[in-house]
Amino acid sequence: MRHGQYGIGPLGGSMPPVTLTLLIANVAVFLLQSLPLVNQIGMLEPGDVVRGQVWQLVTYGFLHGSLGHILANGLALFFFGPIVERYLGKGKYLALIFSAILTAGIAHTVIYLIAGYPSVGLVGFSGAVFAILVVALFVAPDSTVLLYAIIPMKLKTMVILFLAWEVWMTFAQGLAGQVSHIGHLAGAVIGFAFMLAPRFLGGGGGGGRGRRRFSPKEKSQRLSMGHPGRSKNASDLYDDPHWKLDQ
């Protein structure tokens, strides 16, 4: 993938800490799934959630059904997680991940209980992956990706195709298949919420780190170094080494 301001995957620099931790956690839990108790406790089953095992609404996200399953989610996290983490910052990025996992789990639970399938289990990080893809769509829509390592296309095209497929499969397949398309779409909704809600609420753009707030002492130091905003001869200060450090 071609990368820009925020970088994608290792091409944009070192792997950001939260994405790296999530990758390690997913792999570690997958290895632990050889123990039956891990699946029994962690898998989301709507009937169990109703009976009080509410932790399953989060733990299921770190379990996977097969090697192919974790490879698909892991690769998506590896390539697209860094761009989103660098854009949102660690705190908002973590909030995005766990909001998506929780929302996807709740959506799956409610839909299957209403439909009368309380024993259908759910595992996988896919809800969070779809939230990440949607945020990446806003951050770097024109970045070029190789879909399945073969087909070149714009990131925005890939994400839109994925979302269209999920909507189609939700209506065509319903609850009969082994993939929770409802969970995928719920995760995508969280991605849209993180990017669009601040704009509708008057908070500006869809995330980002925002401007740093300085303490009174830091403000004093900035002024003493000749901050251009406080100088009548601001243009003369751009060559000052202190000003360069201040930036």
Side-chain angles (χ1 to χ4, degrees):
M1 167 172 279
R2 298 172 188 171
H3 57 94
Q5 177 183 359
Y6 295 99
I8 297 178
L11 300 177
S14 60
M15 182 66 67
V18 175
T19 299
L20 179 60
T21 301
L22 289 170
L23 284 167
I24 294 172
N26 274 281
V27 172
V29 174
F30 181 70
L31 294 176
L32 288 174
Q33 283 185 250
S34 58
L35 304 174
L37 183 62
V38 174
N39 289 310
Q40 181 181 345
I41 294 176
M43 180 185 294
L44 192 163
E45 293 199 13
D48 290 342
V49 172
V50 171
R51 289 188 287 271
Q53 298 182 35
V54 293
W55 62 83
Q56 293 180 359
L57 291 171
V58 173
T59 56
Y60 82 92
F62 295 90
L63 302 177
H64 288 85
S66 66
L67 180 59
H69 191 197
I70 191 173
L71 279 176
N73 284 337
L75 285 173
L77 178 61
F78 179 82
F79 283 109
F80 301 104
I83 186 177
V84 175
E85 180 175 350
R86 291 182 182 118
Y87 179 74
L88 292 179
K90 291 186 286 187
K92 287 185 178 180
Y93 181 56
L94 276 171
L96 173 78
I97 295 297
F98 284 98
S99 295
I101 291 174
L102 182 61
T103 302
I106 291 174
H108 175 87
T109 298
V110 170
I111 293 297
Y112 275 81
L113 285 176
I114 291 175
Y117 296 102
S119 63
V120 176
L122 178 68
V123 294
F125 200 72
S126 301
V129 164
F130 271 84
I132 289 171
L133 288 175
V134 167
V135 175
L137 165 67
F138 282 87
V139 177
D142 293 318
S143 295
T144 301
V145 300
L146 288 176
L147 181 61
Y148 304 122
I150 299 174
I151 309 170
M153 65 176 59
K154 298 294 185 183
L155 174 58
K156 60 186 177 185
T157 304
M158 184 193 76
V159 176
I160 291 171
L161 286 175
F162 279 2
L163 292 177
W165 172 257
E166 293 299 326
V167 171
W168 168 260
M169 290 303 293
T170 297
F171 289 100
Q173 182 175 278
L175 305 178
Q178 297 184 357
V179 176
S180 179
H181 299 287
I182 292 293
H184 294 175
L185 291 174
V189 166
I190 293 300
F192 281 112
F194 264 71
M195 299 306 290
L196 296 179
R199 302 180 186 184
F200 286 112
L201 296 176
R209 293 183 176 87
R211 297 185 63 181
R212 179 185 169 194
R213 295 183 178 180
F214 294 90
S215 68
K217 181 178 179 181
E218 288 176 312
K219 289 180 180 178
S220 175
Q221 291 173 341
R222 285 164 65 86
L223 293 177
S224 69
M225 288 191 285
H227 195 284
R230 298 287 183 173
S231 172
K232 294 180 181 179
N233 301 311
S235 60
D236 296 331
L237 295 172
Y238 281 91
D239 292 328
D240 186 283
H242 295 299
W243 164 244
K244 292 179 182 179
L245 287 174
D246 193 29
Q247 289 296 294

